[in-house]
Amino acid sequence: MLKIRVKAKGWWHPEVVQQLREAATWACKYHDLMVSPIPIQIKLCGPSNIYGDSIDLDHKVVIRLFACEEWLPTLFHEMTHAHQYIYGKLQLELDHAYWLGNLIVRDKNEYQEEPWEVEARKCEDEMTKKFLTLIT
């Protein structure tokens, strides 16, 4: 189940919210999440110093997208993390993670090289290109 909440209505134009709903539904199909037993909740927030984030709360995955021009690739990046959580590829904690069943001690300086981030960036690029091709 996919649920989208707009918390910062002044920052998200209704037309963009509709585009985001379509993109999120497409991302669920892309990642085989339409039948997920764990709901995905997307919160649309005001501007921040980050584009977005996601967290696995065991009973649901929460994705926060902050108002910015890069909302589409950010959505796809965070939906990739949702896929990683739901399919058991990633269990993320503050100082460690389990990636594909292997314990990884997290180093805040190595964020860009963490394998789940590398995969999410790769999917973000692929998905953005595919989705934009479909809608143009």
Side-chain angles (χ1 to χ4, degrees):
M1 172 177 55
L2 181 65
K3 183 176 182 179
I4 299 173
R5 289 182 42 214
V6 184
K7 292 190 73 168
K9 291 183 183 355
W11 291 101
W12 292 90
H13 189 280
E15 189 174 297
V16 173
V17 173
Q18 182 55 38
Q19 292 170 350
L20 189 138
R21 287 182 194 285
E22 293 168 11
T25 301
W26 180 85
C28 282
K29 291 175 185 173
Y30 181 92
H31 279 306
D32 230 3
L33 296 171
M34 294 301 284
V35 295
S36 170
I38 300 171
I40 300 169
Q41 185 177 63
I42 300 174
K43 293 182 181 180
L44 304 181
C45 306
S48 177
N49 61 340
I50 61 173
Y51 294 153
D53 58 17
S54 58
I55 186 167
D56 178 7
L57 297 175
D58 291 332
H59 64 285
K60 68 180 174 181
V61 173
V62 177
I63 295 172
R64 295 186 307 171
L65 295 179
F66 297 95
C68 68
E69 289 185 23
E70 297 296 318
W71 67 264
L72 183 63
T74 303
L75 170 68
F76 292 151
H77 182 100
E78 300 306 334
M79 290 295 287
T80 300
H81 287 316
H83 174 265
Q84 293 166 342
Y85 295 138
I86 291 168
Y87 279 88
K89 294 173 73 174
L90 175 63
Q91 289 179 271
L92 198 56
E93 302 295 337
L94 188 59
D95 60 351
H96 70 279
Y98 287 94
W99 174 247
L100 303 177
N102 299 307
L103 174 65
I104 296 177
V105 177
R106 298 185 69 195
D107 179 350
K108 292 184 191 316
N109 297 325
E110 302 297 323
Y111 170 79
Q112 293 292 324
E113 284 76 41
E114 292 174 332
W116 52 91
E117 290 299 334
V118 171
E119 181 178 88
R121 283 193 308 275
K122 181 180 176 194
C123 280
E124 163 190 333
D125 291 341
E126 289 174 6
M127 292 173 73
T128 301
K129 288 175 188 167
K130 285 182 182 180
F131 184 74
L132 290 175
T133 300
L134 289 173
I135 64 169
T136 54

